[in-house]
Amino acid sequence: MNCLTNLSRSYSALPLRSFKCKASIYPSFVNMKGLVNAIDLRGSCLVKATSSPTPSTNIDDAKKEEKSDVYSTNMTEAMGAGEYSDYVANILLSVLTYRHELGMNYSFIRPDLIVGSCLQTPADVDKLRSIKVKTVYCLQQDSDLEYFSVDINAIREYATTFDDIQHLRAEIRDFDATDLRLRLPAVVSKLYKAVNQNGGVTYVHCTAGLGRAPATALAYMFWVQGYKLNDALSLLLSKRKCFPNVDAIKSATADILTGLKTKSVTLTWNGDNCSSVELAGLDVGWGQRIPLKYEEKNGSWILHRDLLEGRYEYKYIVDGEWMTNKYESLTPVNKDGHVNNYIQVVGNDPESVDLWTRLGDDDFDLTDSERETIKRVLDEYPDDE
């Protein structure tokens, strides 16, 4: 049993690039084998503005819109669209759009749980109090707030003037599945304790309310509120079009129950008729690339890497072209004909093997004993922020 009390916050991926062009990656969120069939992606979950800006605000609004455009492009790059057909990519792009200039937007997932975008001004505290929110839970990093010029201190200070609402923070790096996995136990622990203390309605938000916040809400529903993972996911997606990383939640579940375990793996691309081989996905996300080292003796490109237990999808980039390796495990073909390579990293411990086998089931659920263990770990988790 592992309480994860020494969980490191330093394990992270490489810095996210600033993308300004169409993505060229394959997504790993929700169930990407049937993503387009899983939820109706034709609409956008954001409310559209109906008023026109006055001439005096045109310049400021243009700057805000430009920031939103860049953020949305980065989000699409990180969450995935490029390896789909142009039609599906355009649908994903319309969903993966955050318009900061339109103000806060949110969705009731349950009567007591809301997932939404970030608060922008102290006045948003009043809006949330009007719908009986007792806990505001911010998952943004300082860099996220600075990008959109959000004064978090003013918002928090204003919230302290009321005795019926509490503002909390627990940072998760945006677009980083590994950081999400490692941070989820601490983040959900803090949420669990706040809900027990404050009761009422809880508002969980990141920047756009499409990745980190829904993943945190989903883990909370699964670990604490007694939902089967797929049932919680179906409810979440029926209320808000979003992209919680289910694999990160499954991995975090195993981390709590069996501990953080790593294993060395080797990935190989055979062939000396290319000048560079890189790999995307794996534990760094689809927006990053890991270079492979060429070994002339074998005529192969090699990557040695220590990975935490879990299931990882990845793809090779050979001289700039995205490719799969037919000699390594492949995901099933999706409706657009795309596949990834994948690797399942599991140690020899029988408990780990059993849990990871069960985690792969479509109807996976925790046993009563496992759920009690997770709740105990969350309750005992040290407050580190």
Side-chain angles (χ1 to χ4, degrees):
M1 207 60 62
N2 188 295
C3 292
L4 302 181
T5 53
N6 296 317
L7 183 64
S8 171
R9 298 188 59 191
S10 62
Y11 191 100
S12 62
L14 301 173
L16 182 71
R17 296 176 295 168
S18 178
F19 298 99
K20 297 184 179 179
C21 58
K22 181 182 174 183
S24 184
I25 46 86
Y26 184 86
S28 60
F29 285 72
V30 193
N31 174 16
M32 285 301 169
K33 291 183 291 184
L35 173 63
V36 178
N37 293 326
I39 53 176
D40 179 6
L41 298 177
R42 290 171 294 180
S44 171
C45 62
L46 305 183
V47 177
K48 303 300 181 183
T50 56
S51 59
S52 299
T54 60
S56 62
T57 63
N58 280 345
I59 295 178
D60 287 342
D61 285 349
K63 290 180 179 178
K64 292 177 182 178
E65 290 175 5
E66 181 180 4
K67 281 183 173 289
S68 292
D69 288 339
V70 172
Y71 181 86
S72 296
T73 301
N74 285 354
M75 181 164 53
T76 305
E77 174 76 23
M79 290 188 179
E83 286 296 309
Y84 282 112
S85 65
D86 288 341
Y87 171 72
V88 176
N90 287 334
I91 294 175
L92 282 171
L93 182 59
S94 72
V95 175
L96 295 174
T97 298
Y98 172 57
R99 307 310 314 182
H100 186 80
E101 64 276 10
L102 298 184
M104 184 173 60
N105 73 86
Y106 55 84
S107 306
F108 274 87
I109 309 305
R110 289 168 35 107
D112 61 348
L113 182 62
I114 303 173
V115 171
S117 64
C118 66
L119 281 69
Q120 299 183 19
T121 69
D124 286 333
V125 174
D126 293 325
K127 296 175 185 176
L128 296 181
R129 289 182 66 237
S130 71
I131 55 173
K132 310 302 181 184
V133 170
K134 299 297 184 183
T135 304
V136 178
Y137 199 25
C138 172
L139 304 176
Q140 295 173 285
Q141 293 190 303
D142 288 344
S143 57
D144 304 324
L145 299 162
E146 292 166 2
Y147 181 78
F148 283 111
S149 301
V150 174
D151 188 346
I152 189 67
N153 291 325
I155 293 172
R156 302 193 77 180
E157 288 173 8
Y158 184 65
T160 62
T161 64
F162 303 99
D163 59 8
D164 62 351
I165 192 167
Q166 182 182 21
H167 188 289
L168 298 175
R169 286 187 70 189
E171 300 178 35
I172 301 174
R173 185 175 294 108
D174 210 356
F175 315 134
D176 189 334
T178 299
D179 194 59
L180 175 65
R181 168 186 180 169
L182 294 176
R183 292 287 294 134
L184 267 177
V187 168
V188 175
S189 170
K190 195 167 187 175
L191 175 61
Y192 177 46
K193 294 171 184 176
V195 172
N196 284 342
Q197 173 183 308
N198 300 331
V201 181
T202 301
Y203 185 86
V204 183
H205 77 85
C206 46
T207 298
L210 298 179
R212 292 168 288 180
T216 298
L218 180 59
Y220 177 75
M221 295 166 70
F222 177 43
W223 291 346
V224 175
Q225 293 187 317
Y227 287 86
K228 284 187 175 181
L229 183 57
N230 274 5
D231 291 346
L233 178 62
S234 295
L235 176 59
L236 176 68
L237 295 180
S238 73
K239 302 295 184 179
R240 185 173 183 84
K241 296 182 177 69
C242 56
F243 293 82
N245 191 311
V246 177
D247 284 343
I249 296 170
K250 289 183 176 182
S251 297
T253 302
D255 294 340
I256 293 175
L257 294 174
T258 65
L260 290 164
K261 301 176 182 178
T262 61
K263 185 176 181 179
S264 296
V265 302
T266 299
L267 299 175
T268 304
W269 182 269
N270 294 315
D272 57 3
N273 58 344
C274 52
S275 59
S276 71
V277 178
E278 301 168 301
L279 186 144
L282 209 59
D283 61 331
V284 298
W286 298 100
Q288 307 299 327
R289 299 185 180 189
I290 310 171
L292 276 68
K293 183 178 180 180
Y294 182 66
E295 294 188 356
E296 187 173 355
K297 178 178 63 175
N298 302 317
S300 300
W301 298 80
I302 305 293
L303 174 67
H304 300 291
R305 199 164 183 86
D306 292 336
L307 295 174
L308 288 166
E309 289 187 334
R311 183 181 185 278
Y312 301 88
E313 294 189 14
Y314 59 95
K315 215 159 193 174
Y316 291 92
I317 304 102
V318 181
D319 287 342
E321 183 179 355
W322 290 72
M323 304 177 69
T324 55
N325 188 337
K326 64 181 180 181
Y327 299 109
E328 295 171 354
S329 298
L330 297 168
T331 62
V333 180
N334 72 6
K335 68 183 293 291
D336 292 293
H338 297 298
V339 297
N340 283 344
N341 286 117
Y342 76 92
I343 184 171
Q344 182 75 45
V345 181
V346 181
N348 298 321
D349 178 75
E351 185 181 10
S352 293
V353 172
D354 175 68
L355 180 58
W356 282 106
T357 300
R358 290 168 49 218
L359 282 166
D361 295 340
D362 290 338
D363 198 34
F364 169 75
D365 194 16
L366 296 166
T367 66
D368 291 342
S369 175
E370 288 169 340
R371 200 176 296 280
E372 286 305 311
T373 296
I374 290 176
K375 286 185 179 180
R376 184 173 65 253
V377 169
L378 296 178
D379 192 53
E380 296 173 354
Y381 210 97
D383 297 325
D384 61 347
E385 298 183 37

